Amino acid sequence: MNTASTEGPGLLHRSGRWCARHAWRIVTLWVLLLAGLGAADHAWGGTFADSFSLPGTGAQTGADLIEAHTTGAGGTTAPLVLHTAGGTVAAHREAVAAAVAGLDRLPDVLSVADPLNTPGTVSPRGDTARLTVRFDGNPAGFDPSYLARVEAAVEPLRADGVTVEYGEPLGQLAAAGSADRVSEGIGLAVAVLVLLIGFGSVAAAGLPLLTAVLGLAVTLGALGLLAGPFDFARASPTLAAMMGLGVGVDYALFLATRYRALLHAGAEPEEAVGRTVATSGRAVLVAAATVAMALGGLCASGVGFIGTLGIAAGLSVVVAAAASVTLTPALLGLLGRRVDRLHVRTPVAEPTGASDVWHRWALGVARRPWVSLAAGLLLLWVLALPAASMRLGHVDAGAQSTARTDRRAYDLITEGFGPGANGPLTVVAQLDSGRISDPAGREDLAVSLRRELTAVPGVASVTAPVTSPDRALLLTTVTPATGTRDPATARLVHTLRDETVPHALAGTGATGYVTGTAAATQTFTDTLAATLPRIVGVVVAAAFLLLLTVFRSPLIALKAAVLNLFSITAAYGVVVAVFQWGWGGALFGVSEPVPVESYVPMMMFAIVFGLSMDYEVFLLSRIREVWLDRRDNHLAVATGLAATARVITCAALIMTSVFLAFLLSTNVAVKMLALGLGVSVVLDATVVRLLLVPASMYLFGRANWWLPDRLDRLLPRLDPEGPAPASTTGPAPAPAPEPTREPTPVPLPGDRR
């Protein structure tokens, strides 16, 4: 049923005309907003650092107990790895002492452990040592200038011929400058090329880019300001840049394309802007709401790290949508009919004739819908096969480029102390009041606990348990025989946590916890794996309800959700094949197979599901527009596909280029997201949008638009994009009553209405 208002132009129509009429006011407001946020970020903005705190878990409880009962256990530790090519570290005692003293004088340093006076910190050969520095915060989030002070402090070691490498998290601060700016530049350059080739006009190509860049700058300013009072992950700005550029160009492009089509049809510029916002602008808002809703679903994970990433990406989408329905109409109002000037080829907008390549494609799918459907599903199934073997884990410094100091520190520790030394486990036994005051009982428990831990397969060594200063805890360090990314280490964590420690402490009144970096990351992985089905359910259900409300069709809403799940699974398969199986990983700067970073599947799902709905909304909006006007399913599908295929394809090429450009990032998890998102956009814009959606809608026929009367009365009215008015020069006329009989449709091959 057409629900367009019969009382003249609606709110969006009027707001679009107002923005075009007062263009300089809108532009000035956005520039002032950018300047204000930039100044506020500079004055009060915070820094970005990863925080994997998981309150209520054993790993977090163990860490909290150590901090509460052990003097000097707070803050964040980072190892500085010392290595000599010949001789021993002990031969450089004076240089080590000078470096320790220099580091201890630095601000934000709580303590420095001299490796030559600390048991277990010098390798058996004596050529490698770990100098542990405890900071009052996460050094990865410190100002980059802090690194110069660290360099000055360790200069006596380097002058004495000792190699010094920084382990995580200090090594993250010392990592080579991010390639994010290069990635953004590549994405924008490809966007310019695609827009010029696809649409011909320099002005029409520049407008979406200007809107996207300004919106992204506003987003990054706001995000930096929010990072002051709140903890945001290091990947937050990168993720916001990926999303902001991608959807920002897309949204402005959809509006500019509709505006140019209305101009070519004879509408006056101001009226064309109003009708553009009322139609494509409404679709932009629905699409942005879907993406933001999917990203907001990440907060349901209950993990702060994931929630902040979702907020960062969602903020970029909201700002991009706001810029598209305010700044884009203003810029269109300034350009007027000059939008097609400075063209490099004959400017084109939406196809209008049956000779257009996209119209012929639509007819081809209509002739063979079953073949098109089967071919698309087969391709997605083949790509999705590797996803069945997905193994989640943490991609640590050992998977980074050897050009990074934290990777070199990781390798030196592995060579000097064994692969498990990069992820030692700490077993914490919280004693009951009786054993606290019983030295003999504590000693017996310590001996028994060490014996049980040493007997576990996969354990390389166990230190003698020590008592905390207040005698409330027994602490021992377990070094795995395998590296942090080895599946055997994950199994060892589970064994110690679920079996060995509870069994060793049974009947003693003590409570045991397994903590440490390896235990915390494994707990993080387990938590996300358990949470993912809930996130999928929440996001899919919310998207289904939104599409049901917008398009008034249970079948269309269900089909959209199912097809999006297919394309997401296929993208998962590509990520597993490249990074976990190592098929071409070296091409992207990953020298060896690595597990899939634990939060990548959840982030990919939310982002891909939202972006897929973007294209779904734009395509189905045009299909429904024709359906409401002609009541012919085949005509609606063919016309809607032909009208949107060019702009969706160009938008997908731009977004894919933006995503894939971030493969230059030094962060392996960002590389995974970049590849997964790029592949998913390609699949969604080609296989799903050009094959599966039209083929399935041809096959379902009029059932696409079935809605029970009772459900129709219950659902609120929310049209994604009302039918374009017939008039091209004045306000939108009231819609004609629905016909009592179907008009004679334009015949199409294979018509099965």
Side-chain angles (χ1 to χ4, degrees), residues 545 548-549 552-553 707 710-717:
L545 291 176
L548 176 62
T549 302
R552 326 295 295 178
S553 167
L707 179 68
R710 179 174 297 181
L711 183 58
D712 187 37
R713 290 191 296 269
L714 290 175
L715 293 174
R717 298 288 173 179

PDB file of all heavy atoms in Angstrom, residues 545 548-549 552-553 707 710-717:
ATOM      1  N   LEU A 545      12.910  -7.184  11.583  1.00  0.00           N
ATOM      2  CA  LEU A 545      11.774  -6.350  11.966  1.00  0.00           C
ATOM      3  C   LEU A 545      11.809  -4.995  11.250  1.00  0.00           C
ATOM      4  O   LEU A 545      10.772  -4.484  10.822  1.00  0.00           O
ATOM      5  CB  LEU A 545      11.774  -6.143  13.484  1.00  0.00           C
ATOM      6  CG  LEU A 545      11.457  -7.385  14.319  1.00  0.00           C
ATOM      7  CD1 LEU A 545      11.588  -7.079  15.810  1.00  0.00           C
ATOM      8  CD2 LEU A 545      10.050  -7.900  14.007  1.00  0.00           C
ATOM      9  N   LEU A 548      10.889  -5.623   7.625  1.00  0.00           N
ATOM     10  CA  LEU A 548       9.466  -5.951   7.569  1.00  0.00           C
ATOM     11  C   LEU A 548       8.629  -4.682   7.672  1.00  0.00           C
ATOM     12  O   LEU A 548       7.646  -4.503   6.943  1.00  0.00           O
ATOM     13  CB  LEU A 548       9.114  -6.919   8.699  1.00  0.00           C
ATOM     14  CG  LEU A 548       7.644  -7.302   8.857  1.00  0.00           C
ATOM     15  CD1 LEU A 548       7.137  -8.012   7.602  1.00  0.00           C
ATOM     16  CD2 LEU A 548       7.442  -8.176  10.090  1.00  0.00           C
ATOM     17  N   THR A 549       9.024  -3.778   8.559  1.00  0.00           N
ATOM     18  CA  THR A 549       8.294  -2.528   8.726  1.00  0.00           C
ATOM     19  C   THR A 549       8.430  -1.640   7.499  1.00  0.00           C
ATOM     20  O   THR A 549       7.466  -1.002   7.060  1.00  0.00           O
ATOM     21  CB  THR A 549       8.818  -1.781   9.969  1.00  0.00           C
ATOM     22  OG1 THR A 549       8.679  -2.619  11.113  1.00  0.00           O
ATOM     23  CG2 THR A 549       8.056  -0.490  10.189  1.00  0.00           C
ATOM     24  N   ARG A 552       7.058  -3.965   4.211  1.00  0.00           N
ATOM     25  CA  ARG A 552       5.738  -4.581   4.382  1.00  0.00           C
ATOM     26  C   ARG A 552       5.683  -5.965   3.760  1.00  0.00           C
ATOM     27  O   ARG A 552       4.683  -6.348   3.154  1.00  0.00           O
ATOM     28  CB  ARG A 552       4.633  -3.706   3.776  1.00  0.00           C
ATOM     29  CG  ARG A 552       4.829  -2.221   3.860  1.00  0.00           C
ATOM     30  CD  ARG A 552       4.834  -1.711   5.265  1.00  0.00           C
ATOM     31  NE  ARG A 552       3.556  -1.882   5.946  1.00  0.00           N
ATOM     32  CZ  ARG A 552       3.355  -1.524   7.214  1.00  0.00           C
ATOM     33  NH1 ARG A 552       4.348  -1.022   7.919  1.00  0.00           N
ATOM     34  NH2 ARG A 552       2.179  -1.708   7.781  1.00  0.00           N
ATOM     35  N   SER A 553       6.764  -6.750   3.929  1.00  0.00           N
ATOM     36  CA  SER A 553       6.807  -8.076   3.318  1.00  0.00           C
ATOM     37  C   SER A 553       7.645  -9.019   4.171  1.00  0.00           C
ATOM     38  O   SER A 553       8.865  -8.839   4.269  1.00  0.00           O
ATOM     39  CB  SER A 553       7.394  -8.009   1.908  1.00  0.00           C
ATOM     40  OG  SER A 553       7.711  -9.309   1.435  1.00  0.00           O
ATOM     41  N   LEU A 707       1.363  -9.624   2.767  1.00  0.00           N
ATOM     42  CA  LEU A 707       1.437  -9.246   4.176  1.00  0.00           C
ATOM     43  C   LEU A 707       0.068  -9.467   4.799  1.00  0.00           C
ATOM     44  O   LEU A 707      -0.928  -8.898   4.334  1.00  0.00           O
ATOM     45  CB  LEU A 707       1.845  -7.774   4.319  1.00  0.00           C
ATOM     46  CG  LEU A 707       1.946  -7.236   5.751  1.00  0.00           C
ATOM     47  CD1 LEU A 707       3.119  -7.896   6.479  1.00  0.00           C
ATOM     48  CD2 LEU A 707       2.121  -5.726   5.748  1.00  0.00           C
ATOM     49  N   ARG A 710      -3.714  -8.462   9.573  1.00  0.00           N
ATOM     50  CA  ARG A 710      -3.535  -8.167  10.997  1.00  0.00           C
ATOM     51  C   ARG A 710      -2.137  -7.626  11.269  1.00  0.00           C
ATOM     52  O   ARG A 710      -1.967  -6.667  12.022  1.00  0.00           O
ATOM     53  CB  ARG A 710      -3.784  -9.433  11.818  1.00  0.00           C
ATOM     54  CG  ARG A 710      -3.599  -9.223  13.325  1.00  0.00           C
ATOM     55  CD  ARG A 710      -3.988 -10.449  14.106  1.00  0.00           C
ATOM     56  NE  ARG A 710      -5.407 -10.755  13.944  1.00  0.00           N
ATOM     57  CZ  ARG A 710      -6.006 -11.787  14.541  1.00  0.00           C
ATOM     58  NH1 ARG A 710      -5.305 -12.611  15.306  1.00  0.00           N
ATOM     59  NH2 ARG A 710      -7.297 -11.998  14.361  1.00  0.00           N
ATOM     60  N   LEU A 711      -1.132  -8.240  10.623  1.00  0.00           N
ATOM     61  CA  LEU A 711       0.239  -7.764  10.796  1.00  0.00           C
ATOM     62  C   LEU A 711       0.407  -6.376  10.194  1.00  0.00           C
ATOM     63  O   LEU A 711       1.133  -5.530  10.735  1.00  0.00           O
ATOM     64  CB  LEU A 711       1.219  -8.747  10.147  1.00  0.00           C
ATOM     65  CG  LEU A 711       2.713  -8.435  10.285  1.00  0.00           C
ATOM     66  CD1 LEU A 711       3.113  -8.340  11.751  1.00  0.00           C
ATOM     67  CD2 LEU A 711       3.543  -9.497   9.573  1.00  0.00           C
ATOM     68  N   ASP A 712      -0.279  -6.121   9.087  1.00  0.00           N
ATOM     69  CA  ASP A 712      -0.202  -4.817   8.437  1.00  0.00           C
ATOM     70  C   ASP A 712      -0.711  -3.730   9.375  1.00  0.00           C
ATOM     71  O   ASP A 712      -0.160  -2.621   9.428  1.00  0.00           O
ATOM     72  CB  ASP A 712      -1.019  -4.845   7.147  1.00  0.00           C
ATOM     73  CG  ASP A 712      -0.854  -3.566   6.335  1.00  0.00           C
ATOM     74  OD1 ASP A 712       0.264  -3.033   6.312  1.00  0.00           O
ATOM     75  OD2 ASP A 712      -1.847  -3.109   5.748  1.00  0.00           O
ATOM     76  N   ARG A 713      -1.759  -4.041  10.137  1.00  0.00           N
ATOM     77  CA  ARG A 713      -2.303  -3.044  11.066  1.00  0.00           C
ATOM     78  C   ARG A 713      -1.387  -2.823  12.263  1.00  0.00           C
ATOM     79  O   ARG A 713      -1.355  -1.731  12.834  1.00  0.00           O
ATOM     80  CB  ARG A 713      -3.694  -3.487  11.529  1.00  0.00           C
ATOM     81  CG  ARG A 713      -4.765  -3.414  10.435  1.00  0.00           C
ATOM     82  CD  ARG A 713      -6.148  -3.601  11.014  1.00  0.00           C
ATOM     83  NE  ARG A 713      -6.329  -4.920  11.593  1.00  0.00           N
ATOM     84  CZ  ARG A 713      -6.789  -5.974  10.923  1.00  0.00           C
ATOM     85  NH1 ARG A 713      -7.098  -5.854   9.632  1.00  0.00           N
ATOM     86  NH2 ARG A 713      -6.937  -7.145  11.508  1.00  0.00           N
ATOM     87  N   LEU A 714      -0.639  -3.856  12.653  1.00  0.00           N
ATOM     88  CA  LEU A 714       0.228  -3.754  13.822  1.00  0.00           C
ATOM     89  C   LEU A 714       1.512  -2.987  13.540  1.00  0.00           C
ATOM     90  O   LEU A 714       2.032  -2.288  14.411  1.00  0.00           O
ATOM     91  CB  LEU A 714       0.583  -5.153  14.339  1.00  0.00           C
ATOM     92  CG  LEU A 714      -0.542  -5.952  14.996  1.00  0.00           C
ATOM     93  CD1 LEU A 714      -0.050  -7.354  15.335  1.00  0.00           C
ATOM     94  CD2 LEU A 714      -1.029  -5.248  16.263  1.00  0.00           C
ATOM     95  N   LEU A 715       2.018  -3.115  12.313  1.00  0.00           N
ATOM     96  CA  LEU A 715       3.309  -2.511  11.991  1.00  0.00           C
ATOM     97  C   LEU A 715       3.168  -1.009  11.783  1.00  0.00           C
ATOM     98  O   LEU A 715       2.209  -0.545  11.162  1.00  0.00           O
ATOM     99  CB  LEU A 715       3.888  -3.136  10.714  1.00  0.00           C
ATOM    100  CG  LEU A 715       4.307  -4.601  10.796  1.00  0.00           C
ATOM    101  CD1 LEU A 715       4.719  -5.098   9.413  1.00  0.00           C
ATOM    102  CD2 LEU A 715       5.451  -4.783  11.788  1.00  0.00           C
ATOM    103  N   PRO A 716       4.140  -0.224  12.286  1.00  0.00           N
ATOM    104  CA  PRO A 716       4.117   1.214  11.998  1.00  0.00           C
ATOM    105  C   PRO A 716       4.407   1.475  10.533  1.00  0.00           C
ATOM    106  O   PRO A 716       4.969   0.630   9.833  1.00  0.00           O
ATOM    107  CB  PRO A 716       5.240   1.766  12.895  1.00  0.00           C
ATOM    108  CG  PRO A 716       6.156   0.606  13.108  1.00  0.00           C
ATOM    109  CD  PRO A 716       5.282  -0.618  13.127  1.00  0.00           C
ATOM    110  N   ARG A 717       4.038   2.645  10.064  1.00  0.00           N
ATOM    111  CA  ARG A 717       4.246   3.016   8.668  1.00  0.00           C
ATOM    112  C   ARG A 717       5.602   3.691   8.514  1.00  0.00           C
ATOM    113  O   ARG A 717       5.871   4.705   9.142  1.00  0.00           O
ATOM    114  CB  ARG A 717       3.153   3.968   8.193  1.00  0.00           C
ATOM    115  CG  ARG A 717       1.761   3.348   8.240  1.00  0.00           C
ATOM    116  CD  ARG A 717       1.600   2.309   7.160  1.00  0.00           C
ATOM    117  NE  ARG A 717       0.326   1.588   7.291  1.00  0.00           N
ATOM    118  CZ  ARG A 717      -0.072   0.642   6.452  1.00  0.00           C
ATOM    119  NH1 ARG A 717       0.713   0.301   5.436  1.00  0.00           N
ATOM    120  NH2 ARG A 717      -1.211   0.042   6.626  1.00  0.00           N
TER     121      ARG A 717
END
